[in-house]
């Protein structure tokens, strides 16, 4: 299930920046950053998506990952513990450059690294949206819209990412189809 991916660069890969915004106080910042990088590496390991530190959170083609509470500057306020735990904005042109790809995590949740609610598992799912994937209807997929800790990228997740970006070191087989944009640019993981 694909919405729209980032444009490929001349080397047939999408080069994207990443930046960290506010972190949760419930897990050491170094651990949070390591879990986020682990999720980025999972996607770049199966598709031609290259992530590198950005000079600024607002730089072009940059995905900012931040924790926020309640109303936090977009049209999708968080609802406190339980309920919506995260949302992400699809790439350009579905969303404007300043927010495209950004991942917001509800700071009011009881975040953990390796336990429930697992930062890596949630960011792995949300990063799928950040590179242009929609929800899947298959329960074994990371892109299935319901949280489960410990998920790994499935063949469906890999196939969708490779349809947009190609396998590492290879160009995509053919131009990826563009499907209709969702009614809401932010996709909460429920």
């Amino acid at each position: 299930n694909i919405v729209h991916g980032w444009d490929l660069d001349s080397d047939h890969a999408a080069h994207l920046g990443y930046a960290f915004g506010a972190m949760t106080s419930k897990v050491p910042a170094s651990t949070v950053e390591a879990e986020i990088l682990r999720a980025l590496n999972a996607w770049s390991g199966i598709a031609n998506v290259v992530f590198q530190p950005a000079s600024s959170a607002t730089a072009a083609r940059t995905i900012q990952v931040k924790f926020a509470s309640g109303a936090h500057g977009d049209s999708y306020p968080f609802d406190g513990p339980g309920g919506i735990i995260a949302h992400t904005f699809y790439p350009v042109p579905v969303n404007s450059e300043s927010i495209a790809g950004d991942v917001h995590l509800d700071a009011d949740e009881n975040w953990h690294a390796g336990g429930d609610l697992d930062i890596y598992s949630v960011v792995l799912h949300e990063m799928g949206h950040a590179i242009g994937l929609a929800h899947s209807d298959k329960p074994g997929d990371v892109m299935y819209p319901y949280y489960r800790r410990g998920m790994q990228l499935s063949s469906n997740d890999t196939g969708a990412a490779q349809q947009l970006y190609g396998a590492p070191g290879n160009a995509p087989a053919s131009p990826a189809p563009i499907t209709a944009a969702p009614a809401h640019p932010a996709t909460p993981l429920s």
Side-chain angles (χ1 to χ4, degrees):
N1 295 343
I2 295 170
V3 175
H4 193 282
W6 296 92
D7 291 338
L8 299 179
D9 295 307
S10 60
D11 65 352
H12 303 292
H15 292 264
L16 303 173
Y18 66 85
F20 300 120
M23 292 284 144
T24 177
S25 61
K26 297 167 181 143
V27 177
S30 60
T31 301
V32 174
E33 290 177 9
E35 293 298 280
I36 292 168
L37 291 174
R38 191 161 69 100
L40 294 175
N41 287 330
W43 287 108
S44 64
I46 56 96
N48 279 326
V49 181
V50 178
F51 296 101
Q52 52 212 19
S55 57
S56 160
T58 58
R61 297 172 64 95
T62 295
I63 295 169
Q64 181 187 35
V65 182
K66 72 177 185 179
F67 290 79
S69 296
H72 56 277
D74 61 28
S75 300
Y76 305 93
F78 283 123
D79 55 3
I84 297 170
I85 58 177
H87 59 236
T88 297
F89 294 85
Y90 290 118
V92 169
V94 178
N95 288 289
S96 63
E97 184 58 67
S98 62
I99 201 162
D102 288 1
V103 175
H104 298 168
L105 304 158
D106 188 345
D108 293 331
E109 301 295 344
N110 191 21
W111 293 102
H112 295 280
D116 238 9
L117 188 62
D118 181 48
I119 294 166
Y120 170 78
S121 298
V122 173
V123 173
L124 186 65
H125 173 93
E126 296 302 324
M127 213 43 75
H129 292 312
I131 64 169
L133 304 184
H135 281 147
S136 162
D137 59 0
K138 295 177 177 56
D141 296 348
V142 163
M143 295 312 299
Y144 191 65
Y146 298 97
Y147 170 75
R148 285 145 318 151
R149 180 168 48 98
M151 292 297 296
Q152 301 293 323
L153 294 176
S154 69
S155 59
N156 292 326
D157 297 315
T158 299
Q162 289 180 357
Q163 191 174 353
L164 283 173
Y165 302 106
N170 297 308
S174 61
I178 298 173
T179 59
H184 301 290
T187 305
L189 178 65
S190 27

